[in-house]
Amino acid sequence: MAIDSTEKGFETNVEVSLIAKGYTKRTLEGEASRLFKKYALDVEELFAFLEETQEKSMRALERAYGASYKEKILKRICNQLQKQGVIYCLRHGIKDRGVTLKLIYNKPPTTMNQLMNDLYSKNRFTVSRQVYYSDRHNNSLDMVLFVNGLPLVVKELKNPLTGQTVEDAMKQLKFDRDPNEQLFKFNERVVVYFAVDPDEVFMTTELKKAKTYFLPFNRGNEGGKGNKPVYNNYRTYYLWEEILTPDSLLDILFRFVFVKKDAILDSNGETIGERKALIFPRFHQLDVVRKLETDVQVKSVGQNYLIQHSAGSGKTNSISWLSHRLAKLHDEENTVVFSSVIVITDRRVLDKQLQDAVYQLEHKAGMVERINKDSNQLAQAINGETRIIITTLQKFPFILEKVSDLDRKKYAVIIDEAHSSQGGKASTALTNILSDKTLEDAYEEDRIAEENLDNLDEQIVETIMKSGKQDNVSFFAFTATPKPKTLEKFGTVGTDGKPHAFHEYTMRQAIEEGFILDVLSNYTTYKTFYKIAKQVDDDPMVSKKQATKKLAQYVSLHPHNIAQKTEIIIEHYRNFTRHKIGGRAKAMVVTASRLHAVRYKIAFDQYINKMGYEDLKTVVAFSGTVKDGEISYLESSMNGFSEKELPDKFNSDEYKILLVAEKYQTGFDEPLLHTMYVDKPLSGIKAVQTLSRLNRTCPGKDDTFVLDFVNEPEEIKASFQPYYEATGLEEVTDPNILYDMQEELEPYQLFTEEEVKAVNELEIKGGFKKSTKAQAELNALIDKGVDRFKNLEEEEKEAFKAAATKFVRTYGFILQIATFIDVELHKLYIYLNYLLRKLPRGSKDKDVYVADDVALQYYRNQKVFEGSIELEKSGGVELKPTSYGAGAAAEEEKVRLSSVLDKLNERFGTEFTEVDFLSRDQVKEDMLKSEDIQQKAKNNTKDNFKFAFEKSFMDFVIDRMGSNEKFFMKILENEEFKEFIMEDMMHEVYDEFNNKFDE
């Protein structure tokens, strides 16, 4: 018998499974269909439920309304669904003429109330396929799940075996369903829409045409996105066999779903409106809360649980749901399990959201209390058995002391570690005054102080261990980056005898599902930054004097050369970062100590003023008082506003760059943060927490960028690996790889030079977005390549797309680092951006993230020359001959940079590089700035000057030791090498001073 591979076959299997789980098959036709189209309700099922469960109330309304009572009741129900929303009406019923009609019955928390349990069993669950919902067209929905006649769940199902996937289901819900039709109005009928195929599930709670936002509802696959293969079943079986079963669906409707309300603020912070969102749990949230509840029921109180959920996992909601469920949890004897649930957090947003969510779920005031006064308030809440208590880490020792005294009572303690250092609270111990310290001393002092500050989870573990075993307390610790101590204390021992997290939602899955960005994908060390800029012209012919001076300026890796780094950072921000996120992108500079932060702030402001950059303002964040010389600095006085105001000020359009010393490196959520400049050693959890400040998503943000002056990529990779599961560090060190990629594309012969040039000429004329005619011309040009693409074999199509996408991403990455200019490559980049958008999708296609308009905007601003474009001051290097006035002096000798090095290495058997060569020239530059050396060169013969020069030479060398120890140690240890360098440099210094004087 042939296999049914159709979409209908898939629908039938889903329907059969739902019927086996307790649904009844229901076909809407005839009068039932007419009424559904009119009211967006299965009216017959609704009244059958009301008559069976609330017969007395129905008779009272019949007496009040007369023969037309059903019509009047129906009108009232529709009116309340519109005004109050379906979630409110499901939980609280409909009040009509002094009577309350329940639309649905929830499962009671205990088995003691027989009547309520009987009513719960009379809920009517029906499944309907091919549901026609309007008289204005013939559109139908694949599947609708009704509870008591209310169409609460809509599913669009697709089968890849017929050429359609979950992507097509999402498009259908987005573009073929009108949000203005009664059935699809927000929070009036449908609670959740699922787009489903055999492999993946996505969901949304509001249809808004193109603005509809779908969330994945997948279980995960070996730490990544999607779903694992399932033996003899669909990968997505869990949706209809577990999640949407009658008991599970009602549990979600009554104890998970809520309406989140956020104030809409104007530029002055005034509330001008309210934004509502219907929150339906994501799979991992539902899964962790239910599994924790089940485990507590089985093992009782006294267990510890570690929940390792990445940023982007929605921990605020997970904690809210867990708090409420633990507060309501009963054991088999129908006794409340926990006297109180105590939440340890520093997040004010959790306080408000938890109160709002619990109030909607419970509709009782006073269920949640935040402890914001003193320990007496906390003691009263604990003794009074307040159901949910929110407090801070500082009160944690008192909590343990208090609950250990109350042996008969049992407590759940939920630890929210995610935002433990918001605003740098953990750094407030750094209040000592740094006076007359070098930057090295300041860094070392701050480093020791930071290491002595216990991390939040370490403090909690220490407190628990001091208090001994707490049999009457269960701990639930949420963290994205557990330390070994945390795992040992809260982890669950596995079959291997080692502690593991009870539940995981990995960083990798969060990245792949699009909830956070991969901060390692555009990670560049300073050496790489220089190397890319250098390799643009690949060892060019240069003026020896000018090139070494300029390279010395940029390549110096001296850790405290703040002025140089200030210029590099600001120019990089202005040339690249500021164009991101629609021109709203912000940057963070991570400094090595509070003294570094102070000096950076001063240097930034001085440079900005000197350059006249009126559109660029900075803020600084550090704790305590910092004294530099005789001047004392406070964060608030340097910024001109209070510490509390900083997050909101930085979020505004006024401030662009945040300079930090320890503060705001953890627990700081600013989605507009795009770029980070790291000038501090980072490793382990500190590296993960710091760099993860960039990962928050927002509209228009599709990448991030890190420029690291200090750390090696291997160290950063090692820091992220334990929390990531997949190696995602991409370090592009050689722009010349682009030529290799270009060669990969050419054999496919999909485009001609003339077509690429024509597309670029259209772009230069003003951009396709502004010209309808240009759009038409563009499509005609691109279609030539598309038609050729269609003639390729399937394997060739996949290979070309992969190669083209790789080229576009790599070029876009290099463009962020330096103004890498090869006009032909740039033209190809522009062309491929458009071609990739038009190529037909294949079965293996993932989302192709072509570069955003930043590169195109840059391209339009700079235009295209039929030659090369000069390098700009963006952290790159300008390698061009110095121009002297007409007829002023003979042209300087030009040499290859590499030839100077070759001479040194050949003679002394060394392996010095350009960086070492520049270290030598930095010493020379120091001498040229010395008035003492200048005077001696001016007033002596070269032979006499030589004696004075040799006496001073070693002083200048020692001053530069920190920038290149290997090179300068060679001078100290090898007399012949020292003599060679000193003799060579003496002639250059003497000649340069005297040439200047002669001019």
Side-chain angles (χ1 to χ4, degrees):
M1 185 171 67
I3 296 172
D4 182 352
S5 61
T6 65
E7 186 179 302
K8 283 186 167 49
F10 180 41
E11 285 180 20
T12 299
N13 286 338
V14 174
E15 180 188 55
V16 168
S17 178
L18 285 167
I19 290 169
K21 296 292 184 181
Y23 283 80
T24 302
K25 182 181 177 71
R26 169 86 170 150
T27 304
L28 290 174
E29 54 190 6
E31 181 65 5
S33 178
R34 186 189 72 79
L35 290 170
F36 181 73
K37 290 174 181 177
K38 182 177 180 181
Y39 295 106
L41 296 167
D42 185 347
V43 177
E44 292 176 3
E45 281 289 300
L46 173 60
F47 278 97
F49 166 76
L50 293 174
E51 292 287 0
E52 184 181 8
T53 58
Q54 298 157 81
E55 200 268 342
K56 285 183 181 179
S57 297
M58 292 296 286
R59 297 293 72 80
L61 290 172
E62 185 179 11
R63 288 191 295 273
Y65 285 127
S68 62
Y69 76 100
K70 285 190 177 181
E71 187 179 328
K72 297 285 179 63
I73 291 172
L74 195 55
K75 183 179 179 182
R76 177 65 179 168
I77 290 173
C78 290
N79 172 272
Q80 289 300 289
L81 286 170
Q82 179 186 354
K83 284 187 174 181
Q84 303 288 355
V86 65
I87 300 303
Y88 182 92
C89 293
L90 287 175
R91 290 180 179 147
H92 306 293
I94 304 292
K95 291 184 178 179
D96 190 359
R97 293 289 183 100
V99 170
T100 299
L101 292 176
K102 298 289 288 183
L103 299 181
I104 194 169
Y105 284 100
N106 190 20
K107 189 173 187 176
T110 73
T111 58
M112 296 172 71
N113 191 325
Q114 187 61 45
L115 174 62
M116 292 306 295
N117 278 283
D118 289 343
L119 289 170
Y120 172 71
S121 68
K122 291 181 180 178
N123 287 311
R124 304 166 78 93
F125 295 85
T126 57
V127 52
S128 297
R129 289 171 60 186
Q130 302 309 311
V131 178
Y132 295 90
Y133 55 89
S134 176
D135 286 324
R136 291 182 291 157
H137 51 69
N138 204 36
N139 292 346
S140 66
L141 300 167
D142 289 343
M143 188 173 289
V144 181
L145 305 187
F146 294 83
V147 183
N148 304 330
L150 278 75
L152 301 180
V153 180
V154 165
K155 288 196 283 185
E156 291 290 354
L157 297 98
K158 301 297 174 190
N159 192 345
L161 295 176
T162 61
Q164 290 195 306
T165 68
V166 70
E167 296 280 346
D168 298 289
M170 286 190 278
K171 285 178 184 174
Q172 196 167 17
L173 286 167
K174 276 186 179 183
F175 302 111
D176 296 347
R177 309 296 177 227
D178 184 355
N180 295 315
E181 294 202 49
Q182 181 59 70
L183 181 61
F184 305 128
K185 288 183 178 177
F186 174 69
N187 193 26
E188 289 191 27
R189 297 293 190 277
V190 180
V191 174
V192 63
Y193 304 84
F194 286 108
V196 190
D197 71 11
D199 300 320
E200 292 193 88
V201 181
F202 286 80
M203 69 169 184
T204 187
T205 57
E206 183 177 9
L207 298 184
K208 296 186 287 187
K209 286 292 186 180
K211 293 182 179 179
T212 304
Y213 183 61
F214 280 93
L215 298 168
F217 194 80
N218 297 313
R219 301 166 72 196
N221 186 1
E222 302 297 338
K225 69 175 182 178
N227 292 298
K228 293 180 184 178
V230 180
Y231 175 72
N232 214 22
N233 207 339
Y234 300 110
R235 290 176 187 242
T236 51
Y237 78 95
Y238 59 91
L239 180 65
W240 51 89
E241 291 188 17
E242 297 174 4
I243 304 301
L244 296 178
T245 59
D247 281 358
S248 173
L249 179 58
L250 287 197
D251 178 57
I252 292 169
L253 291 172
F254 277 93
R255 303 176 69 190
F256 280 96
V257 176
F258 70 97
V259 178
K260 182 184 176 186
K261 300 174 184 178
D262 291 316
I264 301 173
L265 307 176
D266 63 14
S267 58
N268 297 318
E270 300 292 327
T271 301
I272 57 174
E274 188 175 60
R275 184 186 298 109
K276 293 182 179 179
L278 199 158
I279 304 299
F280 192 97
R282 287 153 60 187
F283 180 85
H284 69 271
Q285 294 173 316
L286 194 62
D287 193 51
V288 68
V289 171
R290 285 178 166 175
K291 282 180 176 173
L292 285 168
E293 183 180 41
T294 299
D295 203 76
V296 171
Q297 285 177 319
V298 171
K299 298 178 181 175
S300 191
V301 184
Q303 305 298 317
N304 295 338
Y305 302 91
L306 177 64
I307 301 93
Q308 185 177 346
H309 279 195
S310 166
S313 68
K315 281 194 283 286
T316 297
N317 286 338
S318 298
I319 290 172
S320 297
W321 286 318
L322 180 62
S323 303
H324 179 251
R325 292 180 81 91
L326 293 178
K328 299 287 290 181
L329 190 61
H330 289 69
D331 60 22
E332 291 179 355
E333 284 75 40
N334 293 319
T335 303
V336 173
V337 174
F338 296 111
S339 302
S340 294
V341 177
I342 302 167
V343 183
I344 313 293
T345 183
D346 279 330
R347 282 195 276 186
R348 292 205 168 273
V349 64
L350 177 60
D351 171 24
K352 184 179 186 306
Q353 190 162 318
L354 198 152
Q355 283 182 326
D356 290 347
V358 169
Y359 183 74
Q360 286 187 47
L361 298 172
E362 195 70 22
H363 211 62
K364 286 182 186 174
M367 276 280 291
V368 181
E369 182 178 357
R370 180 173 184 90
I371 308 303
N372 53 8
K373 296 176 184 172
D374 52 28
S375 295
N376 288 331
Q377 182 195 11
L378 179 57
Q380 288 171 6
I382 293 172
N383 289 325
E385 297 190 8
T386 299
R387 304 306 302 136
I388 300 173
I389 301 166
I390 305 178
T391 186
T392 60
L393 165 68
Q394 287 74 24
K395 297 183 176 67
F396 184 72
F398 174 80
I399 292 168
L400 275 192
E401 178 187 328
K402 199 72 183 169
V403 299
S404 62
D405 293 341
L406 304 167
D407 292 332
R408 295 185 307 279
K409 296 182 180 180
K410 298 179 173 65
Y411 300 91
V413 176
I414 299 175
I415 302 161
D416 170 27
E417 185 262 355
H419 288 59
S420 59
S421 298
Q422 186 168 25
K425 286 187 180 181
S427 301
T428 52
L430 293 174
T431 55
N432 61 309
I433 294 177
L434 296 174
S435 180
D436 298 326
K437 290 196 169 61
T438 65
L439 286 168
E440 290 95 335
D441 293 338
Y443 164 65
E444 190 61 22
E445 190 159 328
D446 277 15
R447 183 186 65 78
I448 292 168
E450 283 176 29
E451 287 181 357
N452 290 334
L453 285 171
D454 286 335
N455 180 293
L456 172 69
D457 52 4
E458 287 187 337
Q459 291 182 48
I460 288 173
V461 169
E462 293 296 331
T463 305
I464 293 170
M465 294 174 84
K466 286 175 187 173
S467 304
K469 176 69 174 168
Q470 304 288 324
D471 292 329
N472 64 325
V473 182
S474 289
F475 290 99
F476 304 82
F478 283 77
T479 179
T481 51
K483 285 189 174 181
K485 277 186 181 179
T486 317
L487 268 167
E488 288 173 31
K489 183 60 190 174
F490 299 116
T492 303
V493 177
T495 53
D496 58 358
K498 298 176 183 177
H500 301 274
F502 178 82
H503 198 275
E504 289 181 347
Y505 177 75
T506 66
M507 184 189 299
R508 177 183 157 200
Q509 186 173 348
I511 289 168
E512 290 181 1
E513 290 185 342
F515 290 106
I516 58 174
L517 294 166
D518 183 359
V519 300
L520 301 186
S521 61
N522 286 341
Y523 195 99
T524 306
T525 61
Y526 187 58
K527 293 172 191 172
T528 303
F529 186 90
Y530 158 68
K531 188 175 182 182
I532 288 177
K534 166 73 172 65
Q535 287 185 346
V536 170
D537 289 316
D538 199 23
D539 202 18
M541 293 297 293
V542 294
S543 155
K544 178 182 171 187
K545 171 185 165 184
Q546 186 66 14
T548 53
K549 181 177 179 182
K550 202 66 181 172
L551 286 172
Q553 177 183 348
Y554 281 103
V555 178
S556 167
L557 295 177
H558 193 284
H560 304 147
N561 220 327
I562 286 176
Q564 290 179 16
K565 290 177 186 172
T566 294
E567 179 177 351
I568 291 167
I569 292 168
I570 291 176
E571 294 303 334
H572 180 271
Y573 175 83
R574 286 180 54 78
N575 284 313
F576 300 104
T577 300
R578 70 168 176 169
H579 300 299
K580 295 284 185 175
I581 322 180
R584 300 187 67 209
K586 297 178 182 294
M588 176 184 280
V589 181
V590 179
T591 70
S593 74
R594 292 172 304 133
L595 186 56
H596 280 82
V598 166
R599 291 193 183 171
Y600 258 119
K601 171 67 173 164
I602 293 167
F604 266 58
D605 290 349
Q606 287 175 345
Y607 184 83
I608 289 167
N609 290 334
K610 182 181 83 171
M611 301 302 291
Y613 296 153
E614 295 180 359
D615 57 347
L616 182 56
K617 279 189 174 182
T618 67
V619 283
V620 67
F622 59 88
S623 58
T625 302
V626 176
K627 192 170 184 181
D628 193 3
E630 295 302 313
I631 307 173
S632 295
Y633 295 95
L634 287 168
E635 173 192 305
S636 55
S637 59
M638 293 194 84
N639 290 329
F641 49 78
S642 70
E643 184 180 348
K644 282 184 182 177
E645 294 178 86
L646 193 148
D648 290 335
K649 289 281 190 182
F650 186 56
N651 179 256
S652 72
D653 290 336
E654 186 177 1
Y655 295 94
K656 304 298 185 183
I657 299 177
L658 173 61
L659 305 147
V660 302
E662 182 59 19
K663 291 176 76 171
Y664 296 103
Q665 283 178 235
T666 59
F668 177 55
D669 287 351
E670 175 47 73
L672 294 174
L673 204 56
H674 174 277
T675 297
M676 185 175 287
Y677 304 99
V678 180
D679 194 23
K680 173 182 181 176
L682 294 173
S683 62
I685 287 175
K686 184 71 75 176
V688 177
Q689 291 177 334
T690 300
L691 295 171
S692 293
R693 296 312 98 216
L694 296 179
N695 67 22
R696 302 308 191 263
T697 59
C698 69
K701 182 179 178 182
D702 54 18
D703 64 359
T704 63
F705 183 77
V706 179
L707 176 56
D708 194 329
F709 290 91
V710 179
N711 304 285
E712 294 295 330
E714 293 75 16
E715 297 167 357
I716 299 299
K717 182 190 289 186
S719 297
F720 270 77
Q721 196 65 54
Y723 311 108
Y724 188 66
E725 289 203 350
T727 302
L729 190 62
E730 300 173 16
E731 189 200 5
V732 181
T733 57
D734 185 358
N736 292 322
I737 195 173
L738 289 168
Y739 298 115
D740 300 331
M741 294 180 185
Q742 183 185 26
E743 289 171 10
E744 285 182 38
L745 296 171
E746 288 173 353
Y748 295 98
Q749 300 180 45
L750 292 194
F751 47 84
T752 66
E753 286 184 26
E754 290 74 22
E755 287 165 4
V756 172
K757 183 178 179 182
V759 167
N760 279 265
E761 285 174 351
L762 279 176
E763 176 70 18
I764 295 167
K765 285 178 183 176
F768 307 115
K769 293 179 181 176
K770 298 176 185 175
S771 168
T772 306
K773 184 185 176 187
Q775 267 196 26
E777 292 178 44
L778 168 69
N779 275 276
L781 287 166
I782 295 296
D783 284 344
K784 294 178 182 179
V786 173
D787 289 340
R788 297 181 193 117
F789 176 85
K790 290 176 180 176
N791 293 325
L792 297 176
E793 298 294 328
E794 282 303 314
E795 287 186 8
E796 291 179 313
K797 288 178 180 177
E798 298 293 342
F800 175 80
K801 278 189 182 179
T805 303
K806 187 177 179 184
F807 177 90
V808 167
R809 285 177 174 168
T810 305
Y811 190 93
F813 165 59
I814 288 175
L815 203 63
Q816 289 191 72
I817 301 171
T819 328
F820 179 88
I821 297 301
D822 178 307
V823 174
E824 297 309 313
L825 284 185
H826 203 89
K827 287 178 180 177
L828 180 59
Y829 171 69
I830 300 299
Y831 175 84
L832 289 176
N833 261 290
Y834 290 106
L835 179 65
L836 282 169
R837 291 188 174 108
K838 284 215 72 177
L839 292 182
R841 291 175 63 108
S843 58
K844 294 182 181 178
D845 274 359
K846 297 180 180 178
D847 290 336
V848 177
Y849 296 102
V850 293
D852 60 19
D853 284 341
V854 172
L856 303 182
Q857 178 185 1
Y858 160 80
Y859 183 67
R860 282 195 289 271
N861 289 342
Q862 294 299 323
K863 298 189 179 175
V864 174
F865 293 46
E866 290 301 319
S868 65
I869 298 177
E870 295 276 340
L871 291 177
E872 298 174 339
K873 286 187 178 179
S874 55
V877 184
E878 294 181 353
L879 298 174
K880 58 182 180 180
T882 303
S883 174
Y884 298 93
E891 187 174 343
E892 277 194 62
E893 173 199 5
K894 291 183 180 176
V895 295
R896 295 254 181 216
L897 289 179
S898 52
S899 68
V900 181
L901 290 169
D902 291 344
K903 192 192 299 182
L904 275 178
N905 292 333
E906 190 174 322
R907 176 163 178 181
F908 294 101
T910 52
E911 293 180 356
F912 291 133
T913 64
E914 284 96 341
V915 175
D916 301 308
F917 180 76
L918 296 174
S919 297
R920 174 256 193 214
D921 281 275
Q922 284 174 332
V923 173
K924 188 184 107 178
E925 290 297 320
D926 291 346
M927 289 183 163
L928 291 173
K929 293 174 185 173
S930 167
E931 289 186 9
D932 180 59
I933 296 291
Q934 181 180 349
Q935 290 300 316
K936 287 173 180 172
K938 182 179 176 182
N939 297 316
N940 287 281
T941 64
K942 186 178 282 189
D943 287 339
N944 289 337
F945 172 72
K946 183 178 179 180
F947 295 110
F949 180 91
E950 288 177 353
K951 286 182 181 178
S952 303
F953 176 76
M954 291 308 296
D955 292 335
F956 285 93
V957 167
I958 291 167
D959 284 345
R960 279 285 178 181
M961 275 292 288
S963 65
N964 190 335
E965 190 170 334
K966 180 184 77 169
F967 181 83
F968 291 116
M969 282 302 292
K970 185 78 173 174
I971 293 175
L972 294 177
E973 295 170 355
N974 188 319
E975 188 67 25
E976 186 184 358
F977 185 81
K978 183 186 90 171
E979 290 295 332
F980 178 89
I981 294 289
M982 189 165 60
E983 178 78 9
D984 195 44
M985 196 182 298
M986 186 272 295
H987 289 291
E988 288 183 25
V989 170
Y990 186 88
D991 291 343
E992 190 152 339
F993 272 129
N994 284 287
N995 285 342
K996 282 182 183 176
F997 304 146
D998 295 337
E999 287 174 9

